[in-house]
Amino acid sequence: MREICINHIDAFTTKRFAGNPAGVVLNAECLSTQEMQQITNELNLSETVFLLPPQTVENDFRVKYFTPKEEIDFCGHATVALTWLVATEMGLAQAKHGIVLETNIGNIPVTWDIKDGNINSVEMTQAAPKTKDISVDLDKLSRLLRIEKDAFDLNYPLKLANTGNWHLLIPLKNDILIDKADPDLAALDTFNKKYGVSTTHLYTFNTKQDCDLYTRDFAPSVGIAEDPVTGSANGALAGLLYYEKIISQNEPTRLIIGQGHKVERPGTLYVTITPNGTEPIIKVAGAAIVTIKGVLHL
């Protein structure tokens, strides 16, 4: 019998039972892909990340991400959770300023911020953002999301964006309307698969929460009804806002994004967008906290 140490970590929060929970499995080189999927199903969290030895000497680790349904190329909150654990419990914060992770979308650098001897947050540099147009009927979207057609805020872009996974980014007029959304998940699953997107991500600048942007994220096509706090989708959103000139293309912009309030798991992401030629550098930061540690018997 093999014993596998598992960790349950709440990401993008400093409080237990908030933010987005991720499963983290260190020393996963002894596991097959099938076992990783089975462990993810057993933990039954939106994503579980597995730490493996690197395939190239210039990187520190290789990682694989799974939802209860399938392997995915990238997951922001699981990256934050994993890096938090590596920096604290593996003690790397005393030896290094950060690490580089090999993923299916390329290398992801992650650093940590230390304050008064303790880690304050970790920050990942996401893949270069990409965007593309989508032609979609607003009447159909309103039926999918079960919101009124006049809830859409067409002063902002409704497009696809990607910093690792494709997301459909939909602007609504305020956070109240975002919280009223009650998607037809079966129909949204079909819709997302048709357009090759991982999630449907609602956003607004008009919020009473203590943040610049308020968002919600739905991902039935990868087995997640609603993702509480989404690092990859909010990174993609930042890239879209940059390309659409909603934020500055001349100097760095820092955004605070709030998510998870509707599902009573509020979390906070700190996103920095830095101009860099034709492609901005997107960095997403947040804190994390360990809530459960245990041993899985195989």
Side-chain angles (χ1 to χ4, degrees):
M1 181 179 294
R2 287 176 293 159
E3 294 185 343
I4 306 298
C5 294
I6 56 173
N7 303 272
H8 181 296
I9 299 176
D10 294 336
F12 294 121
T13 182
T14 58
K15 299 178 180 179
R16 290 181 176 86
F17 316 123
N20 199 352
V24 178
V25 179
L26 306 179
N27 305 312
E29 60 269 21
C30 64
L31 298 171
S32 67
T33 298
Q34 180 182 4
E35 287 172 329
M36 292 180 192
Q37 186 67 72
Q38 290 171 327
I39 290 170
T40 302
N41 296 347
E42 186 72 12
L43 294 179
N44 198 32
L45 301 171
S46 58
E47 280 92 4
T48 294
V49 59
F50 296 84
L51 190 70
L52 301 156
Q55 294 179 318
T56 54
V57 295
E58 64 268 21
N59 297 318
D60 296 283
F61 301 101
R62 181 165 64 100
V63 294
K64 293 172 73 69
Y65 306 95
F66 290 80
T67 75
K69 189 173 183 179
E70 61 189 21
E71 183 177 0
I72 58 173
D73 289 335
F74 179 69
C75 175
H77 85 277
T79 301
V80 168
L82 167 73
T83 308
W84 188 273
L85 193 66
V86 166
T88 55
E89 300 203 7
M90 289 181 64
L92 286 191
Q94 283 69 47
K96 308 179 70 170
H97 179 62
I99 56 176
V100 179
L101 302 175
E102 294 176 11
T103 76
N104 289 349
I105 61 166
N107 295 337
I108 301 295
V110 193
T111 60
W112 34 77
D113 175 56
I114 298 178
K115 184 177 181 180
D116 298 328
N118 297 312
I119 295 179
N120 187 48
S121 67
V122 298
E123 182 178 67
M124 57 185 157
T125 300
Q126 296 193 349
K130 299 179 287 187
T131 67
K132 59 184 178 182
D133 294 330
I134 181 173
S135 178
V136 59
D137 182 74
L138 292 183
D139 288 316
K140 182 174 183 179
L141 270 187
S142 67
R143 291 193 299 271
L144 282 173
L145 299 173
R146 295 187 178 128
I147 57 175
E148 298 297 324
K149 185 177 176 181
D150 63 4
F152 299 110
D153 188 350
L154 301 183
N155 293 309
Y156 293 97
L158 192 164
K159 286 192 174 185
L160 302 175
N162 181 318
T163 55
N165 305 302
W166 283 105
H167 306 275
L168 173 58
L169 306 179
I170 302 176
L172 298 189
K173 290 180 178 177
N174 56 55
D175 55 0
I176 295 174
L177 292 170
I178 285 182
D179 281 349
K180 285 184 177 179
D182 181 23
D184 179 339
L185 292 175
L188 188 62
D189 180 2
T190 301
F191 179 86
N192 284 355
K193 287 177 179 175
K194 175 183 177 180
Y195 289 98
V197 301
S198 294
T199 79
T200 296
H201 197 66
L202 313 182
Y203 73 94
T204 185
F205 282 94
N206 187 7
T207 176
K208 294 181 180 179
Q209 302 295 338
D210 188 19
C211 55
D212 301 306
L213 283 155
Y214 180 81
T215 66
R216 285 181 74 191
D217 192 86
F218 305 97
S221 65
V222 294
I224 305 164
E226 180 168 356
D227 205 24
V229 192
T230 318
S232 59
N234 284 306
L237 172 59
L240 176 65
L241 296 175
Y242 177 89
Y243 285 134
E244 295 291 317
K245 300 182 180 180
I246 306 299
I247 59 177
S248 175
Q249 294 186 334
N250 299 314
E251 58 186 12
T253 299
R254 293 173 176 83
L255 297 171
I256 300 174
I257 301 179
Q259 190 182 335
H261 299 73
K262 177 64 176 179
V263 291
E264 298 183 353
R265 295 197 67 99
T268 305
L269 309 95
Y270 302 92
V271 183
T272 303
I273 308 97
T274 303
N276 181 48
T278 59
E279 296 178 338
I281 298 172
I282 307 293
K283 296 185 177 183
V284 178
I289 187 166
V290 180
T291 51
I292 302 172
K293 298 181 71 67
V295 177
L296 183 69
H297 300 279
L298 293 180

